[in-house]
Structure formats: structure tokens, C-alpha cells
Amino acid sequence: MDQYYLNLIAIGGSFALYIGIAVWARAGSTDEFYAAGRGIHPVTNGMATAADWMSAASFISMAGLIAFNGYSASAYLMGWTGGYVLLALCLAPYLRKFGSFTVPEFIGDRYYSRTARLVAVLCLIVASLTYVIGQMTGVGVAFSRFLQVENDTGLFIGAGVVFFYAVLGGMKGVTYTQVAQYVVLVFAYTVPAIFISLQLTGNPIPGLGLFSEFEATGEPLLTTLNKTLADLGFASYTEQDSDPSAIINMTLFTLTLMIGTAGLPHVIIRFFTVPKVSDARLSAGWALVFIAIVYLTAPAVGAMARMNIMSTIWPGGTGENAQAIELDALPPWFENWGTTGLLGWEDKNGDGRLQYFDSDGDTLPPVAVASGSDENELTNFNRDILVLANAEIARLPSWVIALVAAGGMAAALSTAAGLLMAISSAVSHDLIKRSINPNISDKAELMWARGSMAAAIAVATWLGLNPPGFAAQTVALAFGIAAATIFPVLIMGVFTHRVNNKGAVAGMVSGLVFTVVYIFLHKGWFFVPDTNQFADTIEGALFGIQSTAIGCVGAAINFIVAFVVSAQTEDTPQEIRDMVENVRVPRAA
Amino acid sequence: MNDTPRRPSDAPGYWKANVRTILGCLAIWALVSFGFSILLRPALAGIEFGGTDLGFWFAQQGSIITFLILIFFYAWRMNKLDRQYGVEED
């Protein structure tokens, strides 16, 4: 069957499933809309959390980052999973016991402060909106590549489907669609990887294949990859940059991603949906099981794709007299992706062959000299196409390509819905119910909740159609803010009585201002190009710390300021101390 | 439920035991990720693993597997502590 119709069936079928679930899982009360009635089984919630968490970036970009950065991209693997240890041990059980609907609600009540609540709402909205734009544009890109519709049309269709199940079902609808989306996503990610691992190493489990023998050479895959890269003048795949500042930056970046993960509201609120405190602890473990299935596969996808690209371009190996592939013999995926502008090549020496090597070094690699080329001819390789093109690169059957299309869409939509849920509940519950009109009835609040969801989707769609400059800065901005503002006040809220309202507000504001100003100093004020005072590199950065790794420093400032201010001001009231004591034990008071 | 009175609960003792467990788990959490995978990787360089060294495996897979074990251990251990200190849910 034609590839186009296979893609249409895969994407259309998965969308029909999501809509079916929406009709079945409607929300009738605020309890159902905000927390799915607190009746979700911990394994079910774990699966929904995995889909909620794994975004278009995890699905599409991460393997590409690993393929082209090798070892140093491990920061993403560890950072985006290590946060779950913090969630399970230090946050999820206590916040579940507290029983709030939103993250700002806990902050506002624990610090008995409207200002704290509003600062938390502000941080939540900035972090979540930054994050959601990437998901919306991801849906548009996936539609245009796989179904040949306009980017904008694709975005409207995606937003329409989210509208249907999120407005109707709230957290309840979102939970069950996320479970379905997880299943689509995990098959789409692992099936091509299993095929490729079998082709290269004969091992059906990609995560193990990564450390197995490469069948073509009989040596371990990573040894062969390192040798090939060395022959072509590229940096080693597995080696660590021994420069101390590189090591420090990788450590801080990993830490920022970890505490940012634990502080992102759309992940935390998922743990409000389970029945018990013990379920919240267990559910974080299940979430990580389902995430790990993808995250243990991702490094294999990265290394194997890099290997496949090298052996496509240098079919005879990279020994001294090797010849690069003839342009006429290039596989069809070159043409397919070349037309999208994400892949580019140019026969600079006019020999009818495509030489790909690193020509930025001091000396040319011998294989380049032997093949009569002094310039790299693969001029553009966008690393984001790697996962989407992977099935084509490995010449897999066309139904696998259709599956990848549906999977990319599922990853983007599930995360978008979770983020919109966090935004809309903060607006209807924290702004309207808890700040403006506390006497509002449950029925009226449910109306507001649906209305805020519809408005949030409209804003996200508009931002997806007109992506602002900060859309690409999700990792710096969203993780930086979550790490420097939300994570520290939640930890202090549970683990100490001493921090009071003034301490929390001062801590959050100083963490926020420090982190955002530091990011602006390196990435430009409000991300306007060329308004940055420092280069966004390790060497050029103020304090020698890259802006993406600064969130953990902002968190440290938040902790210090909160303790100092609390020590200088009045003690926390007795009822708040009792509240903290109560949050710490699972049994109801 | 029934007429037997609830066992007395020891909330402060429970919290101390909980914090000790958390600190122990986080020490391992930091050791495998920041330690073996980044700062101590040169020290592990001699240990070969699947075409590279053990530190690379910890950075790309070993940490994640350790995180999983830590969370399930914590969930199991806390269920035990909940009962031991009489603070479990009904």
C-alpha cells in the first residue's frame, strides 16, 4: 500500500481512539476534572505519567542529541530520569497526603500567603507555556512530513483533538488518553530499534545490542563506531572531555535537569490522582519503569543511527583507500528529507561522490586525502530528523514508518494535554476559586475549569502558529524556572517548619530573577538575538557556567535566601506546623 | 472496622527513620549519576564494558537502572516503616 495511506491509517486510527476515550471518560465534578476522582491505579498512573513526561523532545530530539554528542548527551538521560527519585522520595507522597488539586495551592496554603500562591502561578504558567509551544509545533511538523498537509492545518487538527478530550474529561480524560498514547509511543519507539539492533548486532534488545558485537566487523559496536569516527576526524563517541570546566558544567546541567523534572507542575499533579500515599510512592516507580523502556533504548538508537549513517556514506569502510558513496547511489531517504530542507549536501569537488568527514580540524583525515576531497560535502544534517528518518535509513517496511508517525504525534499530544491541564487548573482553581471568588460553587468552578482549558488551548495554538523566539529555549527556561523556584519551596515546605511566608516569597523571587536574568544575559534579553552580554558557551559564560545549567545555582540561592529571611522574621504559626506534621505521615489525622 | 484500638503511632520516630532512608537512597543516587558517570569516571576507566568503559555504561544506562531499584526499594521500605510506627493508611 502507498506510504501516504498507511500514515493516514496509523494517525487517523490513533486519533479515533483518543476521541473514543474522551467520550467514555467525561468529568462530572471538579474532583474528577482536576484529579480524576483520585481513583487511578498506581500502574495506570505510572503509564500516564510516562506519556505526560515524554514529550516531542524526548521522542524526536533526544536520540539525535545522543547520536551527535555521544557521551556528553548522557546528561539528558540521567537528568530526565533522576528527577523521579526526588519525586518519589521527597515530594509525591507528601503532596498527595496534603490533598490539593494544584501545585500553587500547596505553596499558597503551606506558606499562608496569597503572594506566594500568585508567584507560583506565574512560574507555572511561564514554564508550562514555554514547554507547550514546542509540542504544538511538533504536531504541525509531524503532520506536514507524514500527511503532506500545511503545518498550520496539522496544528489545528491536533489542537482540536486535545480540545475534545481535555475540555470534556479534564484530568480523567487526559489520564486515559495518555495511557493509550503511551502504548502507541512505546511501540513506535522500540519496534524500529529492535529491527535495527537485529540488523547490526543480532541482539533483539537494543539496550543490550549497544554493548554487543557489531556483526560486520566482529568487534564491539562502540569500538567500531569510535574507530570510524576517528578515521573521519570526528570526536570520539564514548570519551569524556577531561577539561574540568566541561566536567563541572555537565554535573550542574544534569542536576538542573533532575531538580527541574521534580519541580515541573504537570508531572507533580499526576501523583494527585492516585488513591493513597503509598500508591504515590509506588506510582513514581512505575512511571520510571515505563520511561526507562524508552530511555534505555534511546542510547542504542543514537549510536546505531550514527553507525548506519557512516556506513551508508562510506559503504566500503573508512580504511585508507576507501571511497565514498556515488551520488547516484544515494538511498531514497536522502531525497525525501532533502526536500524538507533538514538535510543538505553539495558535491564540492565534482567527483560525483559524497564525502562526509570533519574538515574543521588542523589536518585532513587520510581517507579524505585519498579520495581527493578537502571539504566535507554533507553540509546540513538536522539532528531532529534522526528518529523520524531512522526507519527509512535502516530500510524498514513502510508500516514501521507509519507507526513512527503516529508515535511522534502521541508524544507531542500527551505532553501538551498534561501541560494544558496544569495551566488551566492553576487559573480556575488558584486564581478564580482561591484568590478572586472563594464562594463559587463546585458546578460553577467546573465551568470555569472547562473555560480555562479552552482558553489555554487557544493561547497554545496561537503560540504554535506564531512561535516566539523563546520556543526553542524550553530546556533553559522551563527547567531553569522549575528548578530555581518551584522545587526548593516544595522541598522546604515538607522538610522544615522554619521557612515562613516571607522567606518563601523572597526565596522564590530571588531564584526566579537570578535564573531568568542569567539566561537573558547569555541568550539575549527576552531572547531577542544579539542583545546578550555574554557568549552562550562554557568559555564565554559569566561564572563559566552555561545558561542551561544555571537552574541549580538559582535553586541554591532560593534555599539560602528563604532560610536567612525566615530566621530574621517571625516564626511559622502553630497551625502551619501542625499542617507540616500531618503531611509527613500517611495516616489521616 | 472492628473494636480493637489502633496501635499508638510514633510520628517523630517515623519521620526520623524516613529521613535516614531518604538520605541513604540519595547518597546512592548521587554516587551512580554524578559520581560513577561523571566525576569519578576517570577512576573507573580501567574497567572494560562492551567496547567501552563502565563509566560510559553508568552514564547511559546504569544510572537509570539504579534509580529504578532505589524507588521500588524506598516504596517497599516505607510500607514496612508505616506499619512499624503505626502510621499506615486505613
Side-chain angles (χ1 to χ4, degrees):
Chain A
M1 203 189 309
D2 192 38
Q3 181 69 52
Y4 176 82
Y5 291 103
L6 277 173
N7 293 347
L8 193 63
I9 291 169
I11 294 171
S14 62
F15 277 31
L17 176 68
Y18 307 152
I19 289 175
I21 291 169
V23 174
W24 168 70
R26 288 185 306 270
S29 64
T30 50
D31 194 42
E32 286 191 341
F33 195 92
Y34 292 137
R38 304 203 194 270
I40 305 293
H41 190 276
V43 179
T44 312
N45 183 57
M47 206 179 265
T49 308
D52 189 65
W53 172 239
M54 287 187 283
S55 59
S58 281
F59 189 91
I60 297 173
S61 308
M62 195 173 65
L65 281 168
I66 299 170
F68 288 96
N69 296 304
Y71 165 75
S72 67
S74 310
Y76 294 98
L77 289 164
M78 293 187 284
W80 284 343
T81 54
Y84 281 83
V85 178
L86 296 172
L87 267 172
L89 275 53
C90 307
L91 293 175
Y94 319 109
L95 298 183
R96 171 62 193 86
K97 173 67 193 298
F98 182 72
S100 65
F101 283 139
T102 70
V103 171
E105 185 176 22
F106 172 79
I107 294 173
D109 289 355
R110 161 62 182 85
Y111 296 109
Y112 48 101
S113 157
R114 213 164 92 138
T115 318
R117 187 190 308 275
L118 295 178
V119 174
V121 170
L122 175 78
C123 296
L124 180 152
I125 289 180
V126 175
S128 303
L129 267 185
T130 315
Y131 217 113
V132 86
I133 303 164
Q135 313 308 316
M136 301 308 268
T137 48
V139 171
V141 171
F143 260 104
S144 68
R145 166 64 188 86
F146 291 107
L147 293 178
Q148 283 109 44
V149 295
E150 291 273 316
N151 257 356
D152 295 2
T153 317
L155 213 158
F156 280 120
I157 299 171
V161 173
V162 174
F163 184 91
F164 200 76
Y165 65 74
V167 173
L168 215 55
M171 195 57 151
K172 198 176 162 197
V174 168
T175 301
Y176 291 109
T177 38
Q178 282 176 336
V179 169
Q181 282 157 340
Y182 175 77
V183 175
V184 174
L185 181 165
V186 79
F187 273 101
Y189 204 85
T190 51
V191 168
I194 289 169
F195 274 111
I196 293 168
S197 180
L198 278 171
Q199 285 173 354
L200 298 191
T201 67
N203 194 322
I205 301 170
L208 299 177
L210 174 63
F211 296 99
S212 304
E213 267 179 20
F214 183 47
E215 289 194 332
T217 59
E219 281 186 313
L221 177 76
L222 288 168
T223 310
T224 313
L225 180 56
N226 273 338
K227 253 184 215 161
T228 307
L229 293 176
D231 283 345
L232 298 173
F234 291 104
S236 160
Y237 191 81
T238 58
E239 221 166 87
Q240 180 175 24
D241 185 345
S242 58
D243 182 18
S245 64
I247 294 177
I248 291 167
N249 267 278
M250 183 167 168
T251 307
L252 296 180
F253 182 44
T254 307
L255 181 60
T256 299
L257 291 179
M258 283 178 176
I259 62 178
T261 300
L264 278 172
H266 73 286
V267 180
I268 297 173
I269 58 172
R270 284 244 41 102
F271 295 96
F272 298 167
T273 67
V274 296
K276 296 198 296 183
V277 173
S278 53
D279 292 335
R281 298 192 285 244
L282 195 61
S283 193
W286 281 108
L288 192 54
V289 167
F290 295 119
I291 293 168
I293 294 173
V294 170
Y295 274 47
L296 293 176
T297 305
V301 171
M304 290 176 188
R306 188 87 186 266
M307 195 68 236
N308 265 338
I309 293 164
M310 293 307 175
S311 43
T312 301
I313 294 178
W314 297 96
T318 49
E320 213 158 308
N321 296 314
Q323 284 296 331
I325 190 168
E326 287 176 34
L327 291 176
D328 301 335
L330 283 176
W333 61 269
F334 262 80
E335 205 56 53
N336 288 347
W337 287 94
T339 51
T340 63
L342 300 173
L343 183 68
W345 63 96
E346 190 190 339
D347 187 13
K348 288 178 180 163
N349 61 357
D351 67 349
R353 291 175 183 272
L354 173 61
Q355 279 95 358
Y356 173 41
F357 56 90
D358 187 12
S359 52
D360 298 334
D362 299 332
T363 53
L364 287 176
V367 66
V369 178
S371 68
S373 169
D374 55 7
E375 242 182 315
N376 171 34
E377 297 178 348
L378 189 69
T379 49
N380 178 21
F381 195 114
N382 185 307
R383 57 177 193 237
D384 278 356
I385 69 176
L386 198 121
V387 166
L388 297 178
N390 210 13
E392 297 166 70
I393 294 173
R395 301 162 202 264
L396 296 182
S398 43
W399 63 267
V400 179
I401 298 169
L403 187 62
V404 172
M409 214 81 87
L413 288 180
S414 58
T415 304
L419 290 161
L420 291 163
M421 195 63 230
I423 297 170
S424 66
S425 59
V427 170
S428 62
H429 195 66
D430 291 302
L431 287 186
I432 292 170
K433 168 87 177 174
R434 300 296 306 268
S435 298
I436 297 171
N437 184 3
N439 301 321
I440 190 170
S441 73
D442 189 71
K443 221 176 143 191
E445 192 189 342
L446 184 59
M447 283 280 294
W448 276 105
R450 291 194 208 277
S452 332
M453 176 60 87
I457 294 173
V459 172
T461 310
W462 185 83
L463 287 169
L465 294 172
N466 309 286
F470 58 84
Q473 307 301 342
T474 312
V475 169
L477 198 62
F479 283 87
I481 289 178
T485 62
I486 299 171
F487 177 78
V489 288
L490 292 179
I491 290 286
M492 291 184 288
V494 174
F495 285 85
T496 172
H497 306 106
R498 299 237 305 274
V499 177
N500 61 16
N501 51 352
K502 297 191 177 95
V505 172
M508 271 199 287
V509 170
S510 37
L512 178 70
V513 170
F514 170 81
T515 306
V516 171
V517 167
Y518 195 89
I519 292 171
F520 284 166
L521 282 171
H522 294 79
K523 294 197 180 281
W525 290 85
F526 299 95
F527 302 106
V528 176
D530 301 323
T531 56
N532 54 318
Q533 278 73 24
F534 299 93
D536 198 17
T537 58
I538 294 177
E539 296 77 33
L542 182 65
F543 315 141
I545 300 169
Q546 277 194 293
S547 56
T548 43
I550 203 65
C552 60
V553 181
I557 291 175
N558 185 337
F559 279 117
I560 294 167
V561 170
F563 275 106
V564 169
V565 171
S566 300
Q568 305 297 320
T569 47
E570 66 275 16
D571 279 344
T572 322
Q574 188 56 42
E575 72 259 26
I576 300 296
R577 288 165 176 268
D578 295 342
M579 178 200 284
V580 173
E581 291 302 331
N582 182 39
V583 159
R584 291 176 175 183
V585 291
R587 174 173 286 183
Chain B
M1 243 171 28
N2 52 37
D3 298 344
T4 50
R6 279 181 159 182
R7 282 165 293 128
S9 65
D10 173 13
Y14 169 76
W15 185 248
K16 260 194 206 132
N18 177 21
V19 171
R20 261 202 312 274
T21 313
I22 293 175
L23 290 177
C25 291
L26 289 185
I28 299 171
W29 167 80
L31 179 71
V32 295
S33 53
F34 305 115
F36 293 163
S37 303
I38 306 176
L39 300 167
L40 301 176
R41 189 179 166 197
L44 298 180
I47 309 171
E48 257 195 51
F49 187 93
T52 172
D53 60 277
L54 195 62
F56 182 83
W57 178 75
F58 265 107
Q60 300 229 318
Q61 290 184 338
S63 295
I64 300 176
I65 294 168
T66 313
F67 297 157
L68 270 174
I69 297 170
L70 282 175
I71 298 180
F72 281 106
F73 165 77
Y74 180 75
W76 167 80
R77 168 98 181 135
M78 289 311 286
N79 283 345
K80 239 175 82 172
L81 285 181
D82 287 355
R83 284 191 299 275
Q84 194 181 326
Y85 286 87
V87 295
E88 79 273 30
E89 291 152 287
D90 299 315

